[in-house]
């Protein structure tokens, strides 16, 4: 008669083994928990901090701004905020430009861009309460419009 190996169709954790483990945990747990708890809290805090930094880096914002860009449209809101800041930079550059025709053209672009970004932000906020298919379509359309605006903005900034 051959012996069966432990992993051959037999469960590793049987009800009897589970009962024994719970008994050991009842005896050892109260003695170990006060020693281990601070390390568990520190590990959980470090893990959460790492996740927050990763999400902030993906959105292109600071960790302190992460709460502003939550929800399904958070990434789009972060892009819109970044584009608004870039438009403000472009407006400052236009004011310093000696060419008045260029300044007027830039000012019109900035005003139009700010209106478009405000409309996009409103659409993305409204999409949060839409059914999934409509929300995805709205986000896709907003992202496409934002891509066009960012491309023109980068061209005007000379990047």
């Amino acid at each position: 008669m051959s012996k069966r190996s432990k992993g051959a169709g037999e469960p590793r954790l049987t009800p009897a083994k589970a009962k024994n483990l719970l008994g050991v945990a009842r005896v050892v747990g109260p003695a170990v928990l006060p020693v281990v708890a601070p390390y568990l809290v520190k590990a959980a805090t470090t893990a959460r901090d790492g996740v927050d930094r990763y999400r902030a880096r993906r959105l292109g914002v600071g960790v302190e701004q992460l709460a502003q860009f939550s929800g399904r449209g958070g990434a789009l809101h972060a892009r819109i905020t970044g584009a608004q800041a870039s438009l403000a930079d472009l407006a400052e550059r236009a004011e310093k430009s000696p060419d008045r025709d260029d300044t007027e053209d830039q000012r019109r672009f900035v005003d139009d861009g700010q209106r478009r970004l405000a409309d996009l932000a409103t659409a993305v906020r409204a999409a949060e309460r839409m059914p999934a298919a409509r929300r995805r379509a709205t986000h896709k359309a907003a992202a496409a419009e934002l891509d066009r605006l960012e491309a023109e903005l980068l061209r005007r900034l000379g990047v």
Side-chain angles (χ1 to χ4, degrees):
M1 184 159 47
S2 68
K3 286 188 170 185
R4 290 173 43 171
S5 66
K6 281 194 173 193
E10 197 174 300
R12 291 181 178 223
L13 185 64
T14 63
K17 287 181 184 178
K19 187 176 180 182
N20 287 341
L21 284 174
L22 286 174
V24 169
R26 279 191 202 114
V27 173
V28 175
V32 173
L33 190 59
V35 174
V36 176
Y39 296 109
L40 293 175
V41 170
K42 176 80 171 157
T45 302
T46 302
R48 181 61 194 192
D49 186 47
V51 168
D52 286 347
R53 278 185 278 128
Y54 171 75
R55 287 182 55 224
R57 193 171 47 252
R58 279 188 56 211
L59 291 175
V61 298
V63 176
E64 63 281 351
Q65 295 175 308
L66 193 57
Q68 296 173 356
F69 305 112
S70 63
R72 297 183 193 272
L76 284 171
H77 281 297
R79 284 182 65 194
I80 289 168
T81 301
Q84 287 170 334
S86 296
L87 280 174
D89 290 345
L90 183 65
E92 281 182 30
R93 273 191 188 185
E95 291 301 319
K96 295 176 184 174
S97 173
D99 185 8
R100 287 294 154 207
D101 291 337
D102 184 45
T103 302
E104 190 59 35
D105 180 47
Q106 298 287 35
R107 189 177 299 125
R108 278 194 303 270
F109 174 75
V110 168
D111 291 343
D112 181 52
Q114 288 173 340
R115 279 193 300 276
R116 287 165 55 193
L117 289 174
D119 291 344
L120 286 175
T122 302
V124 171
R125 266 195 309 279
E128 292 292 323
R129 293 172 229 17
M130 291 181 183
R134 288 188 65 199
R135 181 180 58 244
R136 282 191 297 269
T138 302
H139 285 181
K140 189 175 180 179
E145 179 66 21
L146 196 51
D147 287 342
R148 286 190 292 275
L149 181 72
E150 287 171 336
E152 178 63 19
L153 183 58
L154 289 174
R155 186 188 69 74
R156 288 176 180 264
L157 288 170
V159 178

